[in-house]
Amino acid sequence: MLELKGIEWTLPGGEEILKKIDFTVPDGKMTVITGPNGGGKTSIAKIIAGIAKPTNGTILLNGEDITDWDITQRSRSGIGYAFQQPVRFKGLKVRDLMELASEETLDESRLCSILGEVGLCAQEYIDRDVDASLSGGESKRIEIATVLAKKGAKVLVFDEPEAGIDLWSFTNLIDAFERLKSNHHESLLIISHQERILDIADYIIVIADGKVRMAGNKEEVLPGLLEGESGTNCPLGKGERGGAA
Amino acid sequence: MDEITKEMLKTVSDWDGEAEDGIAYNIRENGQCAGRRSSRNIVIESKEDAPGLIIRISPKAQKETVYIPACVTHGGVDDLVYNDFYVGAGADVTIVAGCGVHTDNEGQAKHNGIHRFFLDKGAHVLYQEKHIGTGTGTGFRRIDPVTDIELGEEAVLEMDTIQIGGVDRTFRKTTAKLAARARLIIHERLMTDGEDEAVSDFDVTLEGEDSGVDLISRSVARGNSRQDYHSKISGNCRCTGHSECDAILAENGKVNAAPELFAGNIDASLIHEAAIGKIAGEQIMKLKTLGLTEAEAEQKIIEGFLR
Ligand SMILES: Nc1ncnc2c1ncn2[C@@H]1O[C@H](COP(=O)(O)OP(=O)(O)OP(=O)(O)O)[C@@H](O)[C@H]1O
Ligand SMILES: [Mg+2]
């Protein structure tokens, strides 16, 4: 279980990006964070992964305070993060990243099954450089696969996994998330604007303007969200709707 | 053969000095020949007028390999060698030419290899050159290779060169002339650290129609080391030239890159790309999210970059 308690993140210039964020990511469930652009979703993910340090608040992993842990320690304790913007390298191959993530040498069949989750054929991709020669959707799918390959995963965070991904690969990805969900080992935290992802969520958290606007079971949150969508104004900017979990 | 030579051979040529029957080789150790064999299609002879070899590769040589490593195993050695390669029309060979310099005292260990390549029509050569400096001495480990390349029509030379580390000083000079439809592909990788200094200089002239060069240099400068990179590609006809200089800086490393392109014909198409900087922070961050420490991440990124 991952808990965020009173998380605040203020930039050196004084701009408050996150304002007292509280929520819990329960074990073996799928929690989806959604909300308008610039609301603070990626900032939350970075704070969970240890890439950004909160100004205030605590993060607990299974009750243990991990707020001061660095990125490496958090990763080794089971936190995985698939970046919104995949990172490109010069000279690292798809196989290299997968093997670093899984901490073992992977044979072709294992690579095939991991890359298959994101709809990529291993033979074509394992020796490709993870550089600018990959298309946007290809690098995004490889980014996701590095997290699916992660050894000892406990909490997996995916930041807009749908972005740039074609319909067919997206269907594969949804299947992969559902499989992860059904084995009840890993907690999934998915940042998404996609209805199909919201549909398979157990819990939904709406983040806007650096605050939790709504949080709860999918059944509670989703109808309100969809209702908001049909209006002319985004209701999420108007103030509190529902409380924090 | 010296134990140090044996060790260095493994590193610079992935070879233990034991050649299967029919494989041509020449091992140079401290300026002396420590073993030589010609094969049916590759004949190695000593030069009459200067130290070095003449290597004649017949057109019949197909998918053959020849090893010509050189090692300097102690300080106080200043080895100079002239090797000429004549590659017959249509031959297809790999030439493995590693070089290691070792010193355990205050004496300098130096190797100067002057290599000339003459490729006839349609010949194909993969030239592999790995350089390393080893030993605990304070004497400089120095390797100054000069490579002159003449490519006949449709000939292809791929030059794969890497300086792994431990070489205090290097001055590399590569010149090439290309006839019609010839292709030259150079991959250079240079790693410097401590107080190392490296200079690499390329001068490529595209003389024949539709000739092409692809010159890719990747380097890492760490510690207080310094690298200077100059390249000049001249296109005097319809031709293509591409050079790319990518350098990673760490600690107080310094890199000066000065590329030059000359187009003497309206159909010459020449491109240069250069990027110098430290490792992108997001690359380190990504690898840390996979469980690597900062130092491990840096190491991985550099290893991949120089691969
Ligand atoms: N390092 C930074 N420096 C300045 N502003 C930042 C920084 N990081 C985030 N922000 C700002 O914080 C706000 C939240 O950004 P964040 O990336 O968390 O949004 P998001 O909810 O993920 O948006 P999107 O849906 O577009 O991905 C934005 O206004 C963004 O510009
Ligand atoms: Mg975002």
Side-chain angles (χ1 to χ4, degrees):
Chain A
M1 189 167 71
L2 185 78
E3 294 165 88
L4 273 69
K5 295 189 165 175
I7 293 293
E8 295 178 348
W9 188 42
T10 305
L11 294 178
E15 193 188 340
E16 292 182 304
I17 306 292
L18 299 177
K19 306 160 190 166
K20 286 228 177 297
I21 298 276
D22 291 287
F23 67 78
T24 297
V25 182
D27 285 344
K29 301 280 185 196
M30 177 166 159
T31 304
V32 174
I33 297 184
T34 192
N37 293 138
K41 302 178 296 298
T42 297
S43 306
I44 291 174
K46 286 183 175 168
I47 278 179
I48 293 172
I51 295 170
K53 288 262 170 250
T55 325
N56 272 307
T58 47
I59 309 166
L60 305 176
L61 179 65
N62 297 329
E64 188 170 5
D65 188 343
I66 63 163
T67 319
D68 292 329
W69 291 14
D70 69 4
I71 308 175
T72 310
Q73 269 175 303
R74 293 193 201 197
S75 169
R76 290 182 180 171
S77 70
I79 296 176
Y81 174 42
F83 289 34
Q84 181 170 6
Q85 308 282 3
V87 176
R88 295 171 199 263
F89 295 88
K90 273 184 180 164
L92 288 186
K93 296 186 184 302
V94 172
R95 178 200 289 277
D96 297 325
L97 285 189
M98 297 303 152
E99 292 186 342
L100 289 174
S102 62
E103 294 176 36
E104 57 182 342
T105 342
L106 300 171
D107 60 21
E108 202 142 311
S109 77
R110 185 76 190 101
L111 280 163
C112 229
S113 81
I114 302 168
L115 291 171
E117 305 257 45
V118 292
L120 293 175
C121 165
Q123 272 101 349
E124 278 176 41
Y125 286 94
I126 44 179
D127 290 321
R128 287 282 297 270
D129 280 332
V130 185
D131 64 8
S133 72
L134 292 168
S135 78
E138 286 168 340
S139 58
K140 185 76 185 180
R141 288 191 276 165
I142 286 157
E143 175 65 17
I144 294 166
T146 62
V147 174
L148 295 174
K150 186 169 170 51
K151 187 186 167 189
K154 285 196 192 124
V155 180
L156 297 182
V157 184
F158 297 89
D159 199 344
E160 297 194 26
E162 71 268 20
I165 291 196
D166 65 58
L167 222 51
W168 301 273
S169 310
F170 186 61
T171 303
N172 275 342
L173 191 59
I174 293 270
D175 291 347
F177 287 150
E178 292 213 273
R179 259 199 309 281
L180 280 174
K181 206 177 111 164
S182 66
N183 71 24
H184 299 295
H185 295 311
E186 298 90 355
S187 314
L188 295 179
L189 181 63
I190 303 184
I191 297 170
S192 177
H193 303 288
Q194 240 287 337
E195 236 179 296
R196 279 176 74 191
I197 291 184
L198 288 164
D199 261 340
I200 59 167
D202 297 302
Y203 303 104
I204 296 178
I205 299 168
V206 181
I207 300 287
D209 192 26
K211 294 184 191 150
V212 175
R213 294 295 180 181
M214 291 192 264
N217 292 332
K218 174 184 68 183
E219 291 72 20
E220 296 163 19
V221 179
L222 199 53
L225 261 185
L226 297 177
E227 176 194 312
E229 260 181 11
S230 59
T232 44
N233 292 317
C234 173
L236 304 170
K238 284 185 190 163
E240 305 294 327
R241 283 171 64 107
Chain B
M1 217 185 341
D2 197 300
E3 279 309 311
I4 298 171
T5 303
K6 279 188 186 160
E7 263 320 294
M8 285 198 288
L9 271 189
K10 274 186 231 154
T11 315
V12 299
S13 55
D14 293 320
W15 182 53
D16 59 3
E18 305 287 327
E20 298 159 39
D21 279 354
I23 301 262
Y25 67 88
N26 184 86
I27 302 168
R28 187 174 177 88
E29 185 185 59
N30 301 318
Q32 305 295 318
C33 175
R36 176 183 304 169
R37 184 162 74 207
S38 293
S39 69
R40 195 180 320 155
N41 298 322
I42 302 176
V43 176
I44 305 177
E45 291 165 353
S46 293
K47 268 200 163 163
E48 308 264 310
D49 53 342
L53 307 168
I54 295 179
I55 295 135
R56 291 182 203 282
I57 298 172
S58 115
K60 290 193 197 121
Q62 294 297 321
K63 304 276 172 220
E64 285 188 39
T65 300
V66 51
Y67 294 90
I68 49 142
C71 294
V72 171
T73 62
H74 52 84
V77 176
D78 185 351
D79 183 22
L80 170 69
V81 63
Y82 296 86
N83 292 338
D84 292 344
F85 298 83
Y86 294 92
V87 186
D92 182 358
V93 292
T94 298
I95 299 169
V96 184
C99 176
V101 283
H102 180 103
T103 177
D104 282 324
N105 58 27
E106 62 291 344
Q108 171 172 272
K110 181 175 177 193
H111 179 82
N112 263 14
I114 294 154
H115 289 180
R116 296 194 299 167
F117 291 86
F118 304 93
L119 271 66
D120 284 347
K121 186 171 181 178
H124 187 289
V125 170
L126 171 61
Y127 177 56
Q128 295 176 325
E129 185 195 64
K130 210 184 241 187
H131 288 171
I132 191 172
T134 56
T136 53
T138 51
F140 273 177
R141 297 147 196 86
R142 178 166 197 133
I143 304 181
D144 293 336
V146 174
T147 311
D148 285 330
I149 300 164
E150 282 191 28
L151 298 184
E153 287 181 13
E154 286 157 41
V156 178
L157 182 92
E158 288 176 63
M159 182 169 165
D160 202 351
T161 131
I162 179 162
Q163 177 177 303
I164 321 168
V167 180
D168 298 284
R169 292 288 182 275
T170 186
F171 189 98
R172 313 175 48 86
K173 172 94 188 136
T174 307
T175 57
K177 283 198 183 98
L178 279 71
R181 297 175 302 285
R183 280 192 58 71
L184 174 64
I185 302 128
I186 300 179
H187 277 263
E188 175 187 68
R189 284 145 301 163
L190 274 175
M191 160 79 113
T192 54
D193 202 346
E195 304 295 324
D196 297 348
E197 286 175 18
V199 177
S200 187
D201 192 301
F202 293 93
D203 192 344
V204 179
T205 310
L206 299 158
E207 292 183 336
E209 292 282 293
D210 298 317
S211 55
V213 60
D214 208 358
L215 169 50
I216 294 160
S217 167
R218 285 193 169 177
S219 64
V220 176
R222 326 178 70 146
N224 290 315
S225 69
R226 181 187 168 100
Q227 300 189 12
D228 277 276
Y229 170 92
H230 313 278
S231 70
K232 181 173 183 194
I233 298 178
S234 308
N236 297 317
C237 52
R238 188 176 69 212
C239 59
T240 54
H242 170 234
S243 78
E244 190 181 313
C245 165
D246 243 323
I248 291 182
L249 300 179
E251 292 110 31
N252 296 313
K254 292 174 188 61
V255 171
N256 171 44
E260 189 181 337
L261 300 175
F262 170 80
N265 182 290
I266 193 156
D267 290 319
S269 159
L270 309 176
I271 301 173
H272 177 74
E273 300 169 77
I276 305 177
K278 60 174 190 272
I279 298 175
E282 53 167 28
Q283 295 183 351
I284 294 195
M285 241 172 244
K286 173 65 198 173
L287 296 193
K288 283 166 101 177
T289 67
L290 298 181
L292 280 73
T293 62
E294 177 113 13
E296 288 166 346
E298 224 183 271
Q299 184 61 26
K300 270 284 159 205
I301 292 165
I302 287 174
E303 255 173 41
F305 184 72
L306 293 179
R307 186 158 47 193

